[in-house]
């Protein structure tokens, strides 16, 4: 278990609310990452765990408790905590979503890295069997009214109907292979592979090649979201905006495959809601936060699927 050596304060705006949000990431002796909504009276600690993940249809990962307190868009911060080797912290936050900062994991890592002791030891979760989560399972499990809402709000769930996320044994660490398939010419089909094996080399490679990749969306969708009270904190510095024709972006890309590299950040952050360092091969084909969450739920549903090694 590794915590921080000092408190870290991070402020910014929420991508949906557009409102200022302040976070204090505090050292803790309790194993696990916890959020606490300090703007809500008597709010309890919310474990940042896969079994507390709720709505993922807005293309982010939200955790919440039974009393309705929730924190949205935790995935980039979770990825940064994992990369910095921090698996024990209490995050006080005064709003319902983390600050979006630069839309990637880079600024979170930059803030956190000064508060990390040299040696980190996150518990290992070794995948023993192959588990697969398919997109059509997600739709099947939805109640009827939600299915209809999903068709209207998020037609992509149908377009990408054959998407899946699969996790299988891999003794070298967390190997992620992500593939995106989009009708938009600027994205098209992109694949990226990343191995995190706990060595400094693999972490530095992630920081250099992947951590700065920003989240993305269509400019036309953005206008729609804003009109409906969402996406209000999005701007050209924190979101890659695709033009309506899908053949260009309104802001400059860091690299042509920045889209799929961002998916790696999302997958690392989502896998860290397992509470440990997953030793497994994650294959994400047209994946999503919902599929990342479903594969973890299936993995932990049966003890013979995995083994936990505490150092
Ligand atoms: Zn993301």
């Amino acid at each position: 278990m590794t915590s921080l050596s000092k408190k870290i304060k991070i402020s910014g705006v929420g991508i949906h609310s557009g409102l200022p949000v302040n976070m204090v990431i505090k050292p803790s002796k309790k194993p696990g990452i916890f959020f606490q909504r300090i703007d809500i009276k008597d709010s309890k600690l919310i474990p940042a765990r896969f079994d507390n993940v709720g709505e993922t249809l807005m293309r982010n990962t939200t955790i919440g408790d039974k009393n309705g307190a929730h924190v949205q868009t935790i995935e980039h911060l979770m990825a940064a905590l994992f990369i910095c080797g921090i698996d024990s912290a209490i995050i006080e936050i005064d709003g319902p979503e983390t600050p979006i900062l630069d839309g990637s994991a880079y600024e979170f890592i930059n803030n956190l890295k000064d508060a990390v002791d040299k040696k980190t030891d996150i518990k290992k979760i070794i995948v023993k069997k192959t588990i697969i989560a398919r997109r059509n399972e997600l739709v099947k499990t939805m109640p009827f009214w939600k299915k209809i809402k999903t068709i209207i709000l998020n037609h992509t769930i149908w377009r990408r109907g054959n998407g899946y996320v699969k996790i299988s044994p891999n003794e070298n660490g967390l190997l992620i292979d992500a593939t995106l398939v989009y009708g938009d010419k600027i994205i098209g089909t992109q694949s990226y592979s990343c191995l995190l094996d706990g060595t400094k080399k693999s972490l530095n490679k992630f920081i250099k090649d992947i951590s700065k990749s920003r989240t993305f969306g269509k400019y036309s969708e953005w206008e729609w979201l804003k009109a409906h009270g969402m996406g209000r904190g999005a701007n050209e510095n924190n979101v890659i905006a695709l033009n309506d024709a899908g053949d260009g972006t309104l802001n400059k890309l860091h690299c042509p495959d920045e889209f799929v590299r961002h998916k790696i950040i999302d997958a690392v952050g989502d896998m860290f809601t397992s509470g440990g360092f997953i030793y497994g091969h994650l294959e994400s084909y047209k994946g999503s936060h919902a599929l990342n969450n479903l594969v973890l739920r299936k993995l932990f549903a049966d003890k013979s699927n995995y083994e936990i090694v505490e150092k």
Side-chain angles (χ1 to χ4, degrees):
M1 193 186 92
T2 307
S3 195
L4 304 89
S5 56
K6 60 177 182 188
K7 276 187 201 173
I8 296 288
K9 288 184 190 167
I10 302 176
S11 297
V13 296
I15 191 164
H16 286 307
S17 67
L19 296 172
V21 56
N22 302 291
M23 272 187 345
V24 180
I25 308 176
K26 292 165 55 181
S28 159
K29 290 203 165 66
K30 208 174 149 84
I33 306 293
F34 298 88
F35 284 86
Q36 187 166 30
R37 286 281 302 273
I38 55 165
D39 56 325
I40 296 175
K41 199 173 168 274
D42 299 327
S43 70
K44 303 228 162 27
L45 295 180
I46 310 170
R49 279 179 52 95
F50 68 95
D51 43 4
N52 277 326
V53 170
E55 186 68 79
T56 53
L57 279 178
M58 274 318 300
R59 292 186 299 192
N60 62 35
T61 296
T62 297
I63 51 150
D65 64 18
K66 288 183 217 86
N67 308 319
H70 68 277
V71 182
Q72 250 182 300
T73 323
I74 64 162
E75 60 273 19
H76 307 159
L77 172 60
M78 290 300 286
L81 287 163
F82 177 79
I83 293 300
C84 294
I86 299 164
D87 65 348
S88 164
I90 293 175
I91 303 163
E92 292 180 350
I93 186 162
D94 64 0
E97 53 181 334
T98 65
I100 187 67
L101 305 181
D102 59 351
S104 77
Y106 184 71
E107 281 193 26
F108 284 124
I109 295 172
N110 247 349
N111 276 282
L112 287 168
K113 68 175 195 266
D114 293 341
V116 186
D117 291 330
K118 278 170 213 101
K119 204 178 156 293
T120 70
D121 55 356
I122 297 181
K123 76 177 176 202
K124 285 183 189 173
I125 299 167
I126 297 169
V127 176
K128 293 282 190 193
K129 287 183 191 164
T130 298
I131 309 289
I132 185 156
R134 295 180 198 278
R135 192 167 274 265
N136 57 13
E137 286 176 74
L138 292 173
V139 179
K140 246 187 257 164
T141 56
M142 281 179 193
F144 178 72
W145 65 269
K146 205 166 178 181
K147 253 184 234 184
I148 298 297
K149 198 171 128 197
T150 305
I151 299 168
I152 298 164
L153 282 182
N154 191 351
H155 63 278
T156 53
I157 206 161
W158 305 104
R159 192 181 75 200
R160 293 188 269 147
N162 57 347
Y164 65 84
V165 168
K166 181 170 138 185
I167 194 154
S168 50
N170 176 53
E171 57 191 31
N172 302 325
L174 177 60
L175 172 64
I176 302 175
D177 280 312
T179 298
L180 291 183
V181 182
Y182 274 70
D184 308 289
K185 238 167 92 188
I186 188 88
I187 305 179
T189 299
Q190 301 192 338
S191 295
Y192 203 87
S193 183
C194 161
L195 172 69
L196 291 159
D197 59 6
T199 60
K200 265 253 152 356
K201 198 178 155 201
S202 78
L203 297 175
N204 287 338
K205 195 169 160 44
F206 179 94
I207 294 170
K208 184 173 154 277
D209 296 341
I210 298 167
S211 75
K212 288 183 188 166
S213 307
R214 293 157 297 172
T215 192
F216 57 92
K218 275 216 158 170
Y219 186 71
S220 52
E221 270 177 13
W222 184 8
E223 289 296 294
W224 186 91
L225 287 173
K226 275 187 184 169
H228 291 81
M230 294 174 280
R232 290 186 171 169
N235 63 48
E236 65 280 9
N237 296 319
N238 58 29
V239 178
I240 305 167
L242 268 68
N243 64 16
D244 288 349
D247 58 1
T249 53
L250 303 184
N251 38 2
K252 203 171 173 292
L253 290 172
H254 294 332
C255 51
D257 61 355
E258 188 175 352
F259 307 96
V260 72
R261 293 186 196 215
H262 183 81
K263 284 282 168 186
I264 303 271
I265 298 178
D266 287 341
V268 169
D270 286 345
M271 287 305 110
F272 197 35
T273 62
S274 64
F277 189 156
I278 291 195
Y279 272 56
H281 179 195
L282 187 82
E283 287 166 79
S284 171
Y285 179 74
K286 305 182 190 177
S288 64
H289 293 298
L291 285 174
N292 290 342
N293 186 250
L294 182 61
V295 89
L296 287 181
R297 284 179 190 266
K298 288 176 114 178
L299 176 72
F300 290 109
D302 184 339
K303 282 204 162 81
S304 68
N305 291 339
Y306 64 93
E307 186 190 332
I308 293 184
V309 181
E310 304 263 5
K311 280 193 192 166

